[in-house]
Amino acid sequence: MAAAWGMISSNPHGRENLKNVRTCVHTLCMHGPMNIAGCEWDQGNRDKCQKHGVSIAAIESVFHGVVAVFPDPAHSQGEERLIAIGKTDEGRHVFLAFTLRRHGTETFVRPISARYMHRKEVEHYEKAIAETDD
């Protein structure tokens, strides 16, 4: 299984950018930097994301580190959905479904659903990362 990795960094405007994102599944690839201006929140996605006990701050912090991003074609009817697997600033593993939204010239992450990962999922994720680093 191929993965996409992104790093987040601050820009001069006080926003954070997700840079150097590459999404690969088998032979389908999107290459190049992607700058993310921030997260898009409203009452609908706030409530759904927090339903599983993951705070807004924890969800946003997933993008502060290394993030594995995969397409989610099974749930991409009206718009492309993606899945992210990463760690919060506190070190807890999170599974996040999201989409990207454009507002003018800026791109925002719109979280759809988030939950903390189960122990077996974490073990699988850590093993995959170790194999990727080799």
Side-chain angles (χ1 to χ4, degrees), residues 39-133:
C39 287
E40 179 186 271
W41 294 105
D42 61 29
Q43 200 58 44
N45 69 341
R46 267 185 213 278
D47 292 345
K48 184 165 185 187
C49 287
Q50 292 179 315
K51 180 172 88 173
H52 297 291
V54 185
S55 71
I56 300 302
I59 292 166
E60 291 180 354
S61 78
V62 168
F63 293 100
H64 294 169
V66 176
V67 179
V69 177
F70 306 94
D72 185 11
H75 297 101
S76 297
Q77 287 81 29
E79 62 188 349
E80 182 181 22
R81 289 196 180 184
L82 303 162
I83 295 169
I85 299 171
K87 288 183 185 180
T88 65
D89 288 344
E90 290 77 35
R92 292 197 64 189
H93 291 80
V94 172
F95 178 92
L96 173 67
F98 70 98
T99 191
L100 296 172
R101 293 272 175 92
R102 302 259 320 147
H103 296 285
T105 60
E106 296 182 312
T107 303
F108 292 82
V109 168
R110 178 175 174 78
I112 297 167
S113 181
R115 66 173 174 78
Y116 288 111
M117 293 170 58
H118 303 289
R119 182 181 50 83
K120 290 279 190 189
E121 293 172 316
V122 171
E123 289 170 4
H124 179 76
Y125 169 75
E126 293 291 342
K127 181 180 177 188
I129 288 199
E131 290 172 0
T132 303
D133 290 340

Side-chain angles (χ1 to χ4, degrees), residues 20-24 27-34:
N20 301 322
V21 174
R22 187 180 79 228
T23 305
C24 299
T27 58
L28 173 65
C29 295
M30 296 169 15
H31 296 280
M34 178 179 289

